[in-house]
Amino acid sequence: MLDSTQRFSSRVENYIRYRPGYPREIIEFLRTNCRLRSESVIADVGSGTGILSELFLKAGNRVFGIEPNPEMRQAGERLLQSFPGFTSIPGTAEQTMILEKSVDFVTAGQAFHWFDAARARQEFRRILAPDGWVVLVWNDRRTDSTAFLAGYEQLLRDYATDYDQVNHKRIDASTLRDFFNVESDTKTFPNFQHFDFESLRGRLLSSSYAPDIGQAGHAEMMEALRRLFETHQTEGRVTFEYDTVVHCGRL
């Protein structure tokens, strides 16, 4: 298994173009339930290309993007350069390089499952101001709500290299209870992406467990993806359905 901080180095452009964003309703939920304000300072850990960071920047927050992968971090710096409130830092969840008690929120979008949870918890407690919050977000792709999505899930199980080992779905309620030490406040929002074949291909290749060009199984996986698309497309499109799940709480 590749080092988690290096897995996406060759996936950056597909990640930028084809990964889903997060519903803007998340901001209002956090304002209502977690005391988010425009003056709140955010440490977005595992910020990647800046998808979640951008949501908070547009809400007026100052954001420190903590990202260990150079290629992903540089993409985030490029994409978010118009936001004066964004600061990029080459840190990790376990060593953020953030000053003690300096942020009001620690966030992680599609990233917590890569962390060493115990060490990250200790680090988050160090950098959070008193009464600070942790917010964990995932776009949880539905796997059986349509025949296409069931087929896509099977394709991953047939061709992906280490899908089960790195799938974020392994983070269950027990893991979250241990991390927060209490029940977290949870909210789910519907989210969707619509793809033609080329964008579906890019979405698949943005995943670190999908064999890339030149790797064993890539050609066979692409053939299977083409068959799946042709079977289920409507007017040249297929749809990914997600439950965007937000967990927020104090440590």
Side-chain angles (χ1 to χ4, degrees):
M1 187 184 297
L2 290 174
D3 178 349
S4 63
T5 65
Q6 302 300 318
R7 291 179 67 100
F8 291 94
S9 295
S10 65
R11 315 279 177 164
V12 174
E13 290 307 314
N14 282 325
Y15 205 102
I16 292 170
R17 296 180 66 184
Y18 302 119
R19 283 296 179 108
Y22 298 105
R24 290 181 295 176
E25 291 84 356
I26 290 174
I27 296 297
E28 190 57 41
F29 168 72
L30 295 178
R31 285 172 175 162
T32 300
N33 293 273
C34 304
R35 302 181 185 177
L36 176 70
R37 301 292 181 265
S38 59
E39 60 268 24
S40 300
V41 178
I42 314 296
D44 186 24
V45 181
S47 55
T49 62
I51 297 173
L52 185 60
S53 293
E54 185 175 15
L55 194 70
F56 288 97
L57 290 164
K58 288 181 175 178
N61 297 108
R62 184 181 181 191
V63 178
F64 293 96
I66 316 299
E67 174 53 52
N69 182 280
E71 291 81 5
M72 296 285 276
R73 187 175 65 252
Q74 290 161 14
E77 293 167 354
R78 182 177 76 249
L79 294 169
L80 300 177
Q81 62 183 325
S82 64
F83 293 98
F86 181 70
T87 301
S88 177
I89 297 177
T92 67
E94 300 79 19
Q95 190 173 7
T96 61
M97 314 301 290
I98 294 286
L99 294 176
E100 184 176 349
K101 294 180 171 55
S102 62
V103 300
D104 302 296
F105 283 78
V106 173
T107 65
Q110 217 72 21
F112 178 78
H113 54 290
W114 298 113
F115 302 166
D116 179 320
R119 292 176 59 209
R121 188 180 197 278
Q122 182 178 10
E123 176 70 352
F124 295 175
R125 283 174 59 87
R126 185 187 70 82
I127 67 175
L128 278 169
D131 295 327
W133 295 79
V134 175
V135 179
L136 308 178
V137 187
W138 282 277
N139 278 315
D140 188 9
R141 173 177 44 81
R142 298 174 188 171
T143 59
D144 59 3
S145 57
T146 68
F148 164 68
L149 290 175
Y152 187 83
E153 179 71 6
Q154 187 59 53
L155 180 144
L156 296 181
R157 297 193 176 280
D158 289 343
Y159 295 100
T161 53
D162 52 2
Y163 177 56
D164 285 331
Q165 293 94 320
V166 302
N167 191 346
H168 73 265
K169 293 179 188 292
R170 73 185 193 279
I171 303 297
D172 58 13
S174 175
T175 304
L176 294 171
R177 279 195 302 272
D178 289 345
F179 180 76
F180 284 104
N181 207 25
V182 293
E183 293 288 346
S184 56
D185 195 0
T186 302
K187 180 70 173 180
T188 300
F189 302 91
N191 202 1
F192 303 91
Q193 281 184 295
H194 307 287
F195 299 112
D196 60 14
F197 179 75
E198 286 306 310
S199 56
L200 176 64
R201 176 182 179 277
R203 174 63 181 86
L204 174 58
L205 292 179
S206 76
S207 300
S208 67
Y209 45 71
D212 211 344
I213 296 171
Q215 295 180 339
H218 173 82
E220 294 84 352
M221 181 181 69
M222 287 297 107
E223 291 175 6
L225 187 69
R226 171 66 78 176
R227 292 194 298 270
L228 182 69
F229 177 83
E230 294 297 342
T231 299
H232 297 289
Q233 60 83 24
T234 301
E235 298 182 351
R237 293 286 189 275
V238 292
T239 299
F240 270 21
E241 301 174 353
Y242 301 94
D243 295 305
T244 300
V245 183
V246 182
H247 304 278
C248 67
R250 294 190 178 99
L251 300 182

